[in-house]
Amino acid sequence: MDVDLEAVLEAKKAQYKSIEVRKDVELQYDVGNLLATDLNPLDHHAMKSRRDEYLKGLARDNTQLLINKIWQLPVEKADGMILVELPTPSTVLPREKPIPKPKGLTAWETFAKAKGIKNRKRSRMVFDESGQEWKPRWGYKRVDDPKDKWMIEIPDRADPYEDYFEKQAEEKKEKIAKNEYKRLKNISRTQKGGRLKAPLPPPLTKDMSKYQLTHALGKAKEATASIGKFTKSLPDEPVPKRAKKTQVGPVAGDMAAERKKNLEILSSVTKRKEVVDAEKAANRHMAQEQRRCHVVSVGH
């Protein structure tokens, strides 16, 4: 069986377009932004007769020209890949949002800067002498985890009947609350004008009332990115009372529904029946009769 190789090659070539594209007006390139601007006028006849095919071919040709421009840049190979370093972009693109302002220093950063204290990065893993193994300095399964201590040494001149496990838990809660308060203070310090939109809760003390604790807890829960939406509630935490929002109907809407609502209000006013408490009326009448009889007897 004879095979015409030239015909097969021509058929294969017909499936792929050439990488050489000719344009009457050369494109304007900004290779740094991978941008190519075509200033050639559109073919209005082709736009009307075969719009999609014409636009697809136009996009293909312009993309091919941009790729040809990229291949003219110096290339290098690394890890079996061909890389090219793009030049500096020439087109200035507008930002969606303004440039973020630098964050202000926290209280500790201000103090450390004034005293010349430099932060030293500590290693995350610490060797635990009791377990003879390396453990994280903080986090899950950290060293000196209170959960691993089944016995606590009672200090001298201390109450031996006090629950020191519960005392440690309370101290941990107070520490967390203080850290949260400090975090809010840092946010307040770095905000515009040095103030937050909402007042900060007072520092936690043992003499605080139930209302003050509830208020501080609510403010701490709302001081998150989700404004407390995903903050888990504590066990037996009271549900804060929120004012009911009055639902106001639209000013312009369904006239038939508005007419029906007004008629219902009018009918309820006109058909309202007087509610009489018979027992209360009888007692009042008897009291008046007794008072009148008493006055008459005194007069005689």
Side-chain angles (χ1 to χ4, degrees):
M1 181 178 179
D2 296 335
V3 179
D4 190 355
L5 295 178
E6 293 184 0
V8 173
L9 291 175
E10 290 296 332
K12 286 292 183 181
K13 288 181 180 179
Q15 296 179 2
Y16 303 99
K17 293 186 177 181
S18 173
I19 62 173
E20 296 181 1
V21 181
R22 297 184 180 276
K23 291 280 186 176
D24 295 336
V25 180
E26 187 178 359
L27 273 63
Q28 295 180 358
Y29 299 97
D30 181 8
V31 185
N33 285 324
L34 299 179
L35 173 65
T37 306
D38 189 359
L39 301 179
N40 291 278
L42 297 175
D43 188 351
H44 295 285
H45 178 70
M47 285 285 292
K48 292 181 180 179
S49 59
R50 45 187 183 88
R51 179 188 181 91
D52 294 342
E53 183 181 354
Y54 172 71
L55 291 177
K56 189 181 296 184
L58 192 62
R60 181 265 165 197
D61 293 343
N62 291 339
T63 305
Q64 182 64 60
L65 289 172
L66 179 61
I67 293 175
N68 294 345
K69 204 72 175 179
I70 294 174
W71 275 104
Q72 294 177 8
L73 299 174
V75 298
E76 58 182 10
K77 292 184 178 181
D79 298 333
M81 295 183 294
I82 300 176
L83 307 177
V84 61
E85 184 177 355
L86 298 178
T88 304
S90 58
T91 304
V92 180
L93 300 177
R95 288 180 58 91
E96 180 187 3
K97 297 179 181 179
I99 299 175
K101 298 179 181 179
K103 294 183 178 180
L105 299 177
T106 62
W108 164 249
E109 290 173 347
T110 306
F111 175 78
K113 185 177 181 180
K115 297 295 182 179
I117 302 174
K118 296 182 179 180
N119 291 332
R120 296 180 180 178
K121 189 174 181 180
R122 298 186 299 176
S123 60
R124 173 173 169 76
M125 305 302 292
V126 181
F127 187 74
D128 186 12
E129 296 291 344
S130 60
Q132 294 296 314
E133 59 178 341
W134 291 91
K135 290 186 177 181
R137 190 184 297 272
W138 59 84
Y140 179 64
K141 290 186 178 181
R142 65 182 183 274
V143 66
D144 295 334
D145 192 350
K147 296 180 181 179
D148 297 337
K149 295 182 179 180
W150 59 274
M151 181 176 63
I152 299 177
E153 182 180 358
I154 300 177
D156 296 337
R157 298 180 182 180
D159 186 6
Y161 299 103
E162 186 177 1
D163 189 352
Y164 285 90
F165 290 99
E166 184 178 357
K167 185 178 180 181
Q168 282 187 353
E170 292 295 332
E171 290 176 353
K172 182 179 179 181
K173 290 180 181 179
E174 291 181 2
K175 186 177 180 180
I176 293 174
K178 288 181 180 179
N179 290 337
E180 181 66 17
Y181 181 74
K182 290 180 180 179
R183 187 181 72 85
L184 295 176
K185 290 284 287 184
N186 288 331
I187 295 175
S188 175
R189 189 180 294 105
T190 56
Q191 285 288 332
K192 184 178 180 181
R195 296 186 62 184
L196 286 174
K197 294 182 180 179
L200 289 173
L204 298 179
T205 59
K206 295 183 179 180
D207 301 332
M208 293 180 67
S209 63
K210 182 179 179 181
Y211 170 77
Q212 291 174 331
L213 288 173
T214 306
H215 175 70
L217 178 61
K219 291 299 180 183
K221 289 180 65 176
E222 292 178 358
T224 58
S226 61
I227 318 179
K229 184 177 181 180
F230 302 104
T231 306
K232 295 182 179 179
S233 300
L234 299 175
D236 301 331
E237 180 182 347
V239 180
K241 295 182 180 180
R242 301 185 182 275
K244 294 183 179 180
K245 295 183 179 180
T246 305
Q247 295 183 356
V248 181
V251 178
D254 190 359
M255 298 300 296
E258 185 177 356
R259 188 183 300 107
K260 181 180 178 182
K261 185 177 180 181
N262 292 335
L263 289 175
E264 289 177 355
I265 296 174
L266 181 62
S267 62
S268 64
V269 172
T270 55
K271 295 181 180 180
R272 181 177 295 174
K273 297 181 180 179
E274 295 292 337
V275 180
V276 180
D277 191 347
E279 184 178 357
K280 186 176 181 180
N283 292 336
R284 181 175 295 180
H285 178 70
M286 291 174 62
Q288 290 177 356
E289 288 292 332
Q290 290 178 1
R291 194 180 300 109
R292 187 171 59 82
C293 293
H294 179 70
V295 171
V296 171
S297 61
V298 170
H300 285 293

